[in-house]
Amino acid sequence: MALILPESDKKPHLMMEAQQPASGSRRAAAMLVVMVGLPATGKTLLAKKLANYLNWTGQKTKVFRVSDYRRKHVELYSHDLFRCNNSEAAELRKKSAMEAMDDARNYLLQGGQLAILDGTNCDRSTRTQVTDTFTRQHQIRVLFIECVCDDEDLLESNTKEILKHSSDYKEMNLEKAVEDFRLKMEHYLEVYQTMSAKREPQASFIRLVNAGETVTARGLDSPLDARILGCVPLFNPTAKTLYFSRHGESEYNMLGRIGGDADLSPRGRLYAQALARYFTDKARVPGLRVCVSEKKRTQQTASGLPAPYEILPALNELDAGVCEGLTYEEMQEKYPQEFAWRDRDKLRYRYPWGESYVDICRRLEPVLLELERTTNVLVVAHQAVLRCMLGYFLNKDPEELPYLNVPLHTVIKLTLEGFTYRMETMRLNVECVDTYRKQPRNCSDVRTADDALKTVPKHYDTLKFLTSPLIEQH
């Protein structure tokens, strides 16, 4: 990726501390991101992924797709809607764009932090109207992101995704859809005007060529601009498949203990062998990349895989602080109030001298951005970490993260289809304990121990049975 600033600019417009909004000013802090570009350049996927990422990092963000508003007014789709001389259709498309702009404006004025207007916005008069409406009338900052694509292979790939997943083409056969899309592109090419620092001197914009192969930036002047500039080239629109697995069952899993750095149990070692066979004989993923945490149990699980593993400290399990190595029963006995606080707000609860789920989300951010730009990766990590990672890619509400079910001895596969990921789970045939714990109904500080421990999963009291025929489960 190359970062290029226009020659007319004497210095980068990336001034991290310039023009900060006044404290408590909602309108000054709000921003509208406007997508610009021809069809099949990756605009919508970029808009969706940018919104997902910004929401993940705490920026309240929503996408407003002009095409969704247009479909409310048009029952039968055809490329004729985009002919330059079709005045009736032009008015309808203008009306749809205004409805999307109105909803985006209301969202920002009512507390949203960032709205993304997803459309072609391919002529300067349209972009000027957007700027006038938001910046001059409502003091809402506008940043344009233009997507340009002249790579034939990438265009073909993007077009196939559109024809496969867009509701505009669901009633058409493939041959007719291909021709319709070609004509639609011709109509847009007649009116398309690329972003220009010379002709739009007041506009702040980022231009991505071929999904980030080259990036041009102009007029960026805030930390949020810099964050957007840093991440948008990583959202690759090409096909992507990601794999996730918890480590094999550990000795601490069997004993119901939290955290630690325990070895795999005998069944966990069997799972490591089964996982290696899965990726050697069944999945056969080309160019497989494997990422693990610093903990022994993830590295032992990945040791037989047909690819070397990389150790990423950001993948370490949630640090339970003073509760590391305790069972839930011991935590209830020693720290009953802490146990109740955690049950009440598991997302934000931070163990004394430890971490919360929110802390995990923050340290995972660079790993998630790395995964956004690559494919065929297997992440072998821990329950809390994988909950956060899956929550990001599946666009889950943050409150859902601590209760996503990520079972042991299961391979999870995410495949990007259109704008969303399809999840598949493959349970490998190796027995293990169940570590999933539902939120108890009673989260009071003065609840009884029985109430607190009602949803604690079953586990073993001792590992002696590993060398004995007697198994006694708690």
Side-chain angles (χ1 to χ4, degrees):
M1 181 191 78
L3 177 60
I4 299 176
L5 292 159
E7 294 180 0
S8 59
D9 290 323
K10 301 300 184 183
K11 61 181 180 180
H13 289 263
L14 196 61
M15 298 175 286
M16 298 298 289
E17 301 302 327
Q19 299 182 12
Q20 288 297 300
S23 177
S25 173
R26 274 301 321 134
R27 295 192 181 187
M31 178 188 285
L32 176 74
V33 170
V34 182
M35 307 305 297
V36 177
L38 295 168
T41 55
K43 298 187 308 300
T44 298
L45 179 62
L46 177 59
K48 295 269 189 183
K49 284 186 168 290
L50 179 60
N52 187 23
Y53 169 75
L54 291 174
N55 277 313
W56 178 264
T57 59
Q59 300 287 332
K60 190 177 180 183
T61 306
K62 187 174 181 180
V63 177
F64 298 85
R65 294 182 65 193
V66 175
S67 60
D68 290 340
Y69 292 83
R70 183 252 300 164
R71 292 184 188 102
K72 295 178 182 178
H73 302 297
V74 180
E75 292 184 7
L76 296 177
Y77 167 83
S78 166
H79 68 88
D80 285 324
L81 287 167
F82 305 95
R83 285 186 184 276
C84 299
N85 58 2
N86 189 339
S87 57
E88 183 179 350
E91 284 300 314
L92 186 147
R93 289 189 287 113
K94 183 178 179 180
K95 178 181 179 181
S96 301
M98 290 303 299
E99 290 173 347
M101 287 171 57
D102 288 343
D103 284 352
R105 179 193 60 211
N106 292 335
Y107 172 76
L108 293 174
L109 295 179
Q110 293 169 11
Q113 293 174 287
L114 192 144
I116 302 177
L117 185 65
D118 178 24
T120 54
N121 299 297
C122 59
D123 61 89
R124 296 188 188 104
S125 62
T126 298
R127 299 194 288 266
T128 299
Q129 182 182 18
V130 173
T131 302
D132 288 343
T133 300
F134 284 83
T135 301
R136 297 180 183 176
Q137 295 182 28
H138 298 289
Q139 295 76 54
I140 295 172
R141 174 170 162 70
V142 176
L143 172 66
F144 296 94
I145 299 180
E146 182 179 23
C147 295
V148 179
C149 187
D150 57 16
D151 182 299
E152 293 298 328
D153 291 337
L154 186 56
L155 274 171
E156 182 179 358
S157 174
N158 290 346
T159 301
K160 286 181 179 178
E161 288 296 300
I162 291 173
L163 298 181
K164 183 177 180 181
H165 299 289
S166 173
S167 56
D168 287 339
Y169 300 102
K170 64 181 180 181
E171 303 298 332
M172 292 188 195
N173 62 48
L174 181 59
E175 183 178 352
K176 182 179 179 181
V178 169
E179 177 64 11
D180 185 280
F181 188 81
R182 183 187 67 79
L183 292 170
K184 177 182 176 180
M185 285 286 285
E186 289 183 1
H187 302 328
Y188 270 117
L189 283 168
E190 292 180 33
V191 297
Y192 179 61
Q193 296 171 307
T194 189
M195 296 289 299
S196 167
K198 182 177 180 180
R199 294 182 174 85
E200 298 171 85
Q202 303 304 317
S204 299
F205 66 84
I206 299 170
R207 180 187 293 116
L208 286 85
V209 179
N210 297 331
E213 180 181 279
T214 302
V215 181
T216 305
R218 185 188 187 281
L220 308 190
D221 62 359
S222 76
L224 182 54
D225 289 357
R227 169 167 276 186
I228 293 172
L229 175 63
C231 70
V232 290
L234 304 179
F235 298 133
N236 197 313
T238 55
K240 182 189 299 294
T241 303
L242 303 172
Y243 297 87
F244 302 88
S245 173
R246 288 177 67 183
H247 53 78
E249 179 189 70
S250 73
E251 293 177 350
Y252 266 23
N253 289 146
M254 301 189 75
L255 297 171
R257 297 196 175 278
I258 304 168
D261 194 16
D263 289 307
L264 295 182
S265 72
R267 296 189 299 196
R269 292 193 289 273
L270 289 176
Y271 175 71
Q273 296 170 15
L275 187 67
R277 287 195 299 272
Y278 178 84
F279 280 97
T280 300
D281 301 331
K282 187 173 182 180
R284 295 186 180 180
V285 179
L288 179 66
R289 178 183 173 189
V290 182
C291 300
V292 301
S293 76
E294 294 178 308
K295 303 301 181 181
K296 291 186 295 184
R297 52 194 185 274
T298 62
Q299 296 173 35
Q300 291 169 358
T301 303
S303 60
L305 288 165
Y309 57 75
E310 306 169 41
I311 300 174
L312 303 180
L315 296 178
N316 286 348
E317 180 60 303
L318 186 151
D319 185 346
V322 298
C323 295
E324 280 281 308
L326 299 183
T327 65
Y328 285 129
E329 291 86 354
E330 291 168 345
M331 184 177 176
Q332 165 62 25
E333 181 181 355
K334 293 184 177 182
Y335 310 110
Q337 191 172 57
E338 294 288 336
F339 198 38
W341 287 341
R342 182 172 187 268
D343 284 342
R344 195 177 304 159
D345 188 358
K346 194 174 178 181
L347 175 68
R348 298 169 188 85
Y349 171 82
R350 179 179 289 125
Y351 283 101
W353 306 107
E355 290 182 301
S356 68
Y357 271 83
V358 173
D359 295 324
I360 292 178
C361 292
R362 287 172 179 160
R363 64 169 153 94
L364 280 176
E365 185 177 328
V367 178
L368 295 171
L369 288 177
E370 174 70 11
L371 292 179
E372 285 283 13
R373 72 176 188 87
T374 187
T375 187
N376 295 347
V377 178
L378 167 63
V379 176
V380 180
H382 310 267
Q383 180 170 242
V385 170
L386 292 182
R387 282 170 168 167
C388 295
M389 299 185 82
L390 292 171
Y392 170 81
F393 286 107
L394 298 176
N395 200 20
K396 296 292 186 180
D397 186 277
E399 302 293 338
E400 296 180 67
L401 301 184
Y403 295 102
L404 293 179
N405 191 6
V406 186
L408 289 166
H409 295 185
T410 302
V411 178
I412 298 172
K413 179 182 179 182
L414 297 186
T415 305
L416 182 62
E417 294 184 344
F419 312 130
T420 58
Y421 281 93
R422 175 170 57 90
M423 186 175 83
E424 302 171 80
T425 58
M426 288 73 70
R427 171 77 185 215
L428 303 191
N429 191 25
V430 181
E431 289 297 318
C432 59
V433 295
D434 182 3
T435 62
Y436 183 73
R437 179 174 179 252
K438 295 180 180 178
Q439 183 181 26
R441 293 183 179 180
N442 186 352
C443 298
S444 167
D445 295 355
V446 294
R447 63 186 175 178
T448 65
D450 287 342
D451 278 344
L453 299 173
K454 271 184 179 178
T455 60
V456 171
K458 294 179 179 180
H459 57 82
Y460 298 100
D461 285 333
T462 177
L463 296 178
K464 290 181 179 179
F465 72 89
L466 295 177
T467 56
S468 167
L470 298 177
I471 299 178
E472 189 170 335
Q473 196 167 12
H474 185 91

